[in-house]
Amino acid sequence: MRSPRDPLRGLVGLLLCAGLGGGCNSQPTYPKERLAESLQRLLTQEHLNASVRFVEHTVAVQYEYPGALIQIDAHQFGVGPAFDEAIRKVLFPLHRVLLSSDAPVDFYVLLMSDPKFPGAYLTMVRYLDDVRRANANMLDTPEMFARTLFELNLVDSRPLTLDQYLPRDILMEEFLSWQLARRIQAKLTEELYAAGVAEVGRCAGEFRNKEFVFTLNVTPPSGTAFDDATIRRIFETSTNQIAQVLSSYRFHSFDAIRLIHPSTGRHLVLPKARLDVFR
Protein backbone atom coordinates (compact mmCIF):
# COMPACT_ATOMS: atom_id res chain seq x y z
CA MET A 1 0.00 0.00 0.00
CA ARG A 2 1.10 3.51 -0.72
CA SER A 3 2.03 5.53 2.35
CA PRO A 4 0.51 9.02 2.66
CA ARG A 5 3.06 11.81 2.17
CA ASP A 6 3.17 14.66 4.64
CA PRO A 7 5.69 17.39 3.70
CA LEU A 8 5.07 19.16 7.05
CA ARG A 9 5.76 16.19 9.34
CA GLY A 10 8.22 16.94 12.15
CA LEU A 11 7.30 20.59 12.80
CA VAL A 12 5.33 20.04 16.00
CA GLY A 13 7.86 21.37 18.50
CA LEU A 14 8.74 24.45 16.50
CA LEU A 15 5.15 25.47 15.92
CA LEU A 16 4.22 25.20 19.58
CA CYS A 17 7.18 27.12 20.97
CA ALA A 18 7.56 29.83 18.33
CA GLY A 19 6.36 33.10 19.73
CA LEU A 20 3.84 31.92 22.30
CA GLY A 21 4.84 34.54 24.79
CA GLY A 22 2.58 37.51 25.44
CA GLY A 23 2.12 39.87 28.30
CA CYS A 24 -1.07 40.96 30.05
CA ASN A 25 -1.60 44.66 30.71
CA SER A 26 -4.54 46.85 31.60
CA GLN A 27 -3.68 49.06 28.60
CA PRO A 28 -3.00 47.44 25.23
CA THR A 29 0.55 47.80 24.01
CA TYR A 30 -0.70 47.69 20.45
CA PRO A 31 -4.12 49.42 20.11
CA LYS A 32 -6.40 48.04 17.43
CA GLU A 33 -6.26 51.33 15.50
CA ARG A 34 -2.53 50.81 14.88
CA LEU A 35 -2.37 47.01 14.83
CA ALA A 36 -1.46 46.56 11.15
CA GLU A 37 1.00 49.45 11.28
CA SER A 38 2.67 48.12 14.44
CA LEU A 39 2.99 44.61 13.06
CA GLN A 40 4.36 45.92 9.76
CA ARG A 41 7.03 47.87 11.64
CA LEU A 42 8.14 44.84 13.68
CA LEU A 43 8.33 42.66 10.59
CA THR A 44 10.45 45.30 8.85
CA GLN A 45 12.80 45.23 11.86
CA GLU A 46 13.19 41.50 11.19
CA HIS A 47 14.29 42.45 7.64
CA LEU A 48 11.22 40.81 6.16
CA ASN A 49 9.59 42.15 3.02
CA ALA A 50 6.08 41.45 4.27
CA SER A 51 2.60 42.85 3.79
CA VAL A 52 -0.13 42.87 6.45
CA ARG A 53 -3.92 42.82 6.07
CA PHE A 54 -6.43 43.20 8.91
CA VAL A 55 -10.01 42.32 7.97
CA GLU A 56 -12.63 42.41 10.74
CA HIS A 57 -11.39 39.52 12.94
CA THR A 58 -8.56 38.11 10.80
CA VAL A 59 -4.95 39.23 10.42
CA ALA A 60 -2.93 37.98 7.44
CA VAL A 61 0.78 38.28 6.71
CA GLN A 62 2.33 37.55 3.32
CA TYR A 63 6.07 37.29 2.79
CA GLU A 64 8.86 35.63 0.81
CA TYR A 65 11.79 33.82 2.39
CA PRO A 66 14.66 32.20 0.46
CA GLY A 67 15.06 28.52 1.29
CA ALA A 68 11.64 28.22 2.95
CA LEU A 69 10.40 25.68 0.39
CA ILE A 70 11.81 22.80 -1.62
CA GLN A 71 10.44 21.10 -4.71
CA ILE A 72 9.71 17.39 -4.26
CA ASP A 73 8.39 16.68 -7.76
CA ALA A 74 6.64 18.52 -10.58
CA HIS A 75 3.48 19.12 -8.54
CA GLN A 76 4.52 18.85 -4.89
CA PHE A 77 6.49 21.10 -2.58
CA GLY A 78 7.73 20.70 0.97
CA VAL A 79 9.38 22.82 3.64
CA GLY A 80 12.98 23.79 2.98
CA PRO A 81 16.07 24.21 5.16
CA ALA A 82 15.23 27.82 6.08
CA PHE A 83 11.62 27.11 7.04
CA ASP A 84 12.23 27.09 10.81
CA GLU A 85 13.87 30.50 10.67
CA ALA A 86 11.24 31.85 8.27
CA ILE A 87 8.35 30.85 10.54
CA ARG A 88 10.01 32.07 13.75
CA LYS A 89 10.77 35.49 12.31
CA VAL A 90 7.08 36.05 11.68
CA LEU A 91 5.48 34.27 14.65
CA PHE A 92 7.42 36.10 17.35
CA PRO A 93 6.36 39.63 16.28
CA LEU A 94 2.90 38.42 15.25
CA HIS A 95 2.16 36.89 18.65
CA ARG A 96 3.77 39.83 20.41
CA VAL A 97 1.30 42.21 18.73
CA LEU A 98 -1.84 40.06 18.81
CA LEU A 99 -1.46 38.96 22.43
CA SER A 100 -0.92 42.55 23.56
CA SER A 101 -3.69 44.25 21.61
CA ASP A 102 -7.33 45.10 22.18
CA ALA A 103 -8.11 44.29 18.53
CA PRO A 104 -10.90 41.68 18.18
CA VAL A 105 -8.73 39.17 16.29
CA ASP A 106 -9.94 35.57 16.08
CA PHE A 107 -7.67 34.15 13.37
CA TYR A 108 -4.34 34.76 11.76
CA VAL A 109 -3.08 33.59 8.38
CA LEU A 110 0.48 33.30 7.08
CA LEU A 111 1.05 33.14 3.33
CA MET A 112 4.67 32.16 2.78
CA SER A 113 6.51 31.76 -0.51
CA ASP A 114 10.05 31.22 -1.76
CA PRO A 115 11.43 33.47 -4.54
CA LYS A 116 12.98 30.37 -6.15
CA PHE A 117 9.53 28.82 -6.74
CA PRO A 118 7.04 31.39 -8.11
CA GLY A 119 3.48 30.25 -7.64
CA ALA A 120 4.15 27.90 -4.71
CA TYR A 121 2.62 28.99 -1.40
CA LEU A 122 2.45 27.58 2.09
CA THR A 123 -0.58 28.75 4.04
CA MET A 124 -0.86 28.47 7.81
CA VAL A 125 -4.05 29.34 9.72
CA ARG A 126 -4.53 29.48 13.49
CA TYR A 127 -7.29 30.41 15.90
CA LEU A 128 -5.85 32.94 18.32
CA ASP A 129 -7.58 31.46 21.36
CA ASP A 130 -5.76 28.18 20.65
CA VAL A 131 -2.49 30.09 20.93
CA ARG A 132 -3.58 31.57 24.26
CA ARG A 133 -4.58 28.12 25.57
CA ALA A 134 -1.27 26.61 24.47
CA ASN A 135 0.53 29.48 26.19
CA ALA A 136 -1.35 28.59 29.40
CA ASN A 137 -0.44 24.88 29.02
CA MET A 138 -4.06 23.98 28.33
CA LEU A 139 -3.16 22.33 25.00
CA ASP A 140 -0.33 19.87 24.54
CA THR A 141 2.01 19.85 21.54
CA PRO A 142 0.17 17.26 19.39
CA GLU A 143 -3.20 18.94 19.97
CA MET A 144 -1.83 22.38 19.09
CA PHE A 145 -0.36 20.98 15.90
CA ALA A 146 -3.68 19.33 15.02
CA ARG A 147 -5.43 22.70 15.46
CA THR A 148 -2.99 24.43 13.09
CA LEU A 149 -4.00 24.32 9.43
CA PHE A 150 -1.39 23.96 6.71
CA GLU A 151 -1.82 24.00 2.96
CA LEU A 152 0.88 23.76 0.30
CA ASN A 153 -0.48 24.95 -3.05
CA LEU A 154 0.88 25.54 -6.52
CA VAL A 155 -0.96 28.26 -8.41
CA ASP A 156 -0.11 30.06 -11.64
CA SER A 157 3.04 32.14 -11.80
CA ARG A 158 1.25 35.45 -11.27
CA PRO A 159 1.92 36.63 -7.71
CA LEU A 160 -0.96 36.41 -5.24
CA THR A 161 -1.90 39.44 -3.20
CA LEU A 162 -3.49 39.41 0.25
CA ASP A 163 -6.52 41.26 -1.13
CA GLN A 164 -7.06 38.36 -3.55
CA TYR A 165 -6.24 35.64 -1.08
CA LEU A 166 -8.20 37.02 1.88
CA PRO A 167 -11.13 39.03 0.46
CA ARG A 168 -13.08 38.73 3.73
CA ASP A 169 -12.97 37.57 7.32
CA ILE A 170 -12.49 33.86 8.18
CA LEU A 171 -15.54 32.40 9.93
CA MET A 172 -15.38 29.90 12.78
CA GLU A 173 -17.48 27.31 10.96
CA GLU A 174 -15.10 27.48 7.98
CA PHE A 175 -12.05 27.02 10.17
CA LEU A 176 -13.63 24.05 11.95
CA SER A 177 -14.67 22.35 8.71
CA TRP A 178 -11.12 22.70 7.33
CA GLN A 179 -9.55 21.47 10.55
CA LEU A 180 -11.95 18.56 10.96
CA ALA A 181 -11.42 17.33 7.40
CA ARG A 182 -7.69 16.98 8.10
CA ARG A 183 -8.20 15.43 11.53
CA ILE A 184 -10.67 12.90 10.14
CA GLN A 185 -8.20 12.01 7.41
CA ALA A 186 -5.38 11.58 9.94
CA LYS A 187 -7.52 9.41 12.23
CA LEU A 188 -8.74 7.19 9.39
CA THR A 189 -5.16 6.81 8.20
CA GLU A 190 -4.04 5.84 11.69
CA GLU A 191 -6.79 3.28 12.18
CA LEU A 192 -7.44 1.88 8.71
CA TYR A 193 -4.43 2.51 6.48
CA ALA A 194 -1.93 1.38 9.10
CA ALA A 195 -3.88 -1.88 9.55
CA GLY A 196 -4.02 -2.51 5.80
CA VAL A 197 -7.80 -2.14 5.75
CA ALA A 198 -8.12 0.83 3.40
CA GLU A 199 -6.45 3.48 1.29
CA VAL A 200 -7.07 6.96 2.70
CA GLY A 201 -6.91 10.00 0.46
CA ARG A 202 -7.66 13.65 1.03
CA CYS A 203 -10.92 14.26 2.89
CA ALA A 204 -12.90 17.45 2.29
CA GLY A 205 -15.04 19.53 4.60
CA GLU A 206 -17.40 22.46 4.22
CA PHE A 207 -20.19 24.21 6.07
CA ARG A 208 -23.44 24.78 4.19
CA ASN A 209 -27.06 25.27 5.17
CA LYS A 210 -26.19 24.95 8.88
CA GLU A 211 -24.58 21.53 8.26
CA PHE A 212 -20.99 20.35 8.46
CA VAL A 213 -20.46 18.21 5.35
CA PHE A 214 -17.46 15.88 5.10
CA THR A 215 -16.48 13.77 2.10
CA LEU A 216 -14.53 10.68 3.18
CA ASN A 217 -12.01 9.63 0.54
CA VAL A 218 -11.54 6.06 1.77
CA THR A 219 -11.27 3.15 -0.66
CA PRO A 220 -10.63 -0.58 -0.19
CA PRO A 221 -7.33 -2.21 -1.18
CA SER A 222 -7.14 -3.15 -4.83
CA GLY A 223 -9.38 -6.06 -5.75
CA THR A 224 -11.46 -5.96 -2.57
CA ALA A 225 -14.67 -4.34 -1.33
CA PHE A 226 -15.75 -2.92 2.00
CA ASP A 227 -18.13 -4.92 4.16
CA ASP A 228 -20.81 -3.24 6.28
CA ALA A 229 -18.69 -3.45 9.44
CA THR A 230 -15.88 -1.46 7.81
CA ILE A 231 -18.29 1.20 6.52
CA ARG A 232 -19.70 1.55 10.04
CA ARG A 233 -16.16 1.86 11.40
CA ILE A 234 -15.35 4.62 8.91
CA PHE A 235 -18.46 6.59 9.91
CA GLU A 236 -17.99 6.01 13.66
CA THR A 237 -14.32 7.02 13.62
CA SER A 238 -15.16 10.20 11.72
CA THR A 239 -18.12 11.03 13.95
CA ASN A 240 -16.04 10.58 17.11
CA GLN A 241 -13.49 13.08 15.82
CA ILE A 242 -16.18 15.59 14.89
CA ALA A 243 -17.99 15.34 18.23
CA GLN A 244 -14.81 15.72 20.28
CA VAL A 245 -13.48 18.71 18.35
CA LEU A 246 -16.77 20.62 18.21
CA SER A 247 -17.22 20.02 21.94
CA SER A 248 -13.71 21.26 22.71
CA TYR A 249 -14.41 24.49 20.80
CA ARG A 250 -17.90 24.78 22.36
CA PHE A 251 -19.30 25.39 18.91
CA HIS A 252 -23.07 24.91 18.74
CA SER A 253 -24.15 27.05 15.77
CA PHE A 254 -25.05 24.15 13.49
CA ASP A 255 -27.96 21.77 13.01
CA ALA A 256 -26.37 18.54 11.81
CA ILE A 257 -23.33 16.78 10.39
CA ARG A 258 -23.36 14.92 7.08
CA LEU A 259 -20.80 12.26 6.12
CA ILE A 260 -20.48 11.23 2.48
CA HIS A 261 -18.59 8.12 1.34
CA PRO A 262 -18.32 8.51 -2.46
CA SER A 263 -16.97 5.04 -3.31
CA THR A 264 -20.09 3.35 -1.90
CA GLY A 265 -22.59 6.19 -2.22
CA ARG A 266 -23.41 5.91 1.50
CA HIS A 267 -24.47 8.98 3.49
CA LEU A 268 -24.83 9.49 7.22
CA VAL A 269 -26.72 12.47 8.65
CA LEU A 270 -26.73 13.09 12.39
CA PRO A 271 -28.58 15.98 14.08
CA LYS A 272 -26.59 17.99 16.60
CA ALA A 273 -28.28 16.35 19.59
CA ARG A 274 -27.13 12.90 18.49
CA LEU A 275 -23.44 13.90 18.69
CA ASP A 276 -23.51 13.71 22.49
CA VAL A 277 -23.42 9.91 22.17
CA PHE A 278 -19.97 10.10 20.57
CA ARG A 279 -18.30 12.41 23.07
Side-chain angles (χ1 to χ4, degrees):
M1 278 180 149
R2 191 167 45 84
S3 175
R5 298 162 73 180
D6 182 0
L8 294 164
R9 197 180 299 271
L11 302 178
V12 178
L14 166 70
L15 292 168
L16 181 63
C17 71
L20 285 179
C24 294
N25 250 315
S26 56
Q27 297 296 322
T29 306
Y30 301 100
K32 59 186 177 184
E33 295 82 5
R34 297 197 298 275
L35 183 143
E37 173 191 341
S38 299
L39 179 54
Q40 186 79 64
R41 183 176 66 252
L42 292 178
L43 293 171
T44 301
Q45 291 173 6
E46 291 288 343
H47 306 290
L48 292 172
N49 182 18
S51 55
V52 177
R53 180 166 166 77
F54 180 20
V55 185
E56 295 187 55
H57 305 94
T58 303
V59 170
V61 177
Q62 180 180 15
Y63 65 112
E64 282 188 339
Y65 205 90
L69 302 177
I70 57 171
Q71 187 162 11
I72 298 172
D73 56 37
H75 304 289
Q76 189 173 21
F77 288 80
V79 298
F83 176 80
D84 289 11
E85 181 179 52
I87 206 82
R88 269 197 302 265
K89 281 197 170 185
V90 170
L91 286 188
F92 279 116
L94 179 61
H95 288 175
R96 176 180 169 184
V97 170
L98 296 186
L99 297 176
S100 302
S101 175
D102 59 344
V105 175
D106 292 329
F107 299 97
Y108 67 75
V109 180
L110 302 185
L111 185 63
M112 181 195 299
S113 58
D114 187 320
K116 187 177 178 181
F117 306 111
Y121 294 91
L122 183 145
T123 304
M124 173 177 157
V125 183
R126 271 180 169 167
Y127 181 48
L128 190 59
D129 194 56
D130 287 339
V131 176
R132 294 190 184 97
R133 294 178 68 186
N135 199 30
N137 296 318
M138 297 171 65
L139 298 175
D140 61 16
T141 301
E143 180 61 21
M144 186 60 193
F145 186 77
R147 290 172 180 235
T148 302
L149 303 184
F150 295 99
E151 191 76 41
L152 274 162
N153 287 320
L154 182 62
V155 299
D156 59 43
S157 58
R158 290 176 297 174
L160 279 177
T161 67
L162 282 182
D163 286 354
Q164 295 169 320
Y165 191 77
L166 189 73
R168 60 169 178 80
D169 197 19
I170 292 176
L171 304 178
M172 189 64 179
E173 52 267 33
E174 293 173 324
F175 174 75
L176 288 173
S177 64
W178 302 336
Q179 181 189 141
L180 276 165
R182 285 151 181 77
R183 292 180 78 136
I184 290 168
Q185 180 179 333
K187 193 65 176 178
L188 291 171
T189 299
E190 176 189 333
E191 292 197 3
L192 301 178
Y193 174 83
V197 174
E199 297 275 1
V200 181
R202 184 176 181 126
C203 298
E206 62 177 322
F207 189 82
R208 64 186 189 219
N209 300 323
K210 298 286 283 184
E211 282 188 349
F212 284 103
V213 182
F214 299 100
T215 303
L216 311 178
N217 186 7
V218 185
T219 55
S222 180
T224 65
F226 285 142
D227 56 22
D228 286 343
T230 303
I231 296 295
R232 284 196 300 272
R233 185 178 176 188
I234 292 169
F235 283 149
E236 287 174 5
T237 298
S238 303
T239 305
N240 280 328
Q241 278 289 290
I242 295 166
Q244 290 168 14
V245 171
L246 293 181
S247 176
S248 70
Y249 278 96
R250 297 182 176 85
F251 185 81
H252 305 291
S253 300
F254 68 103
D255 294 335
I257 65 164
R258 181 183 298 270
L259 302 179
I260 302 170
H261 187 236
S263 69
T264 61
R266 301 270 193 100
H267 287 226
L268 175 67
V269 180
L270 285 175
K272 178 171 58 177
R274 291 278 304 279
L275 283 184
D276 290 339
V277 176
F278 295 89
R279 287 173 186 157

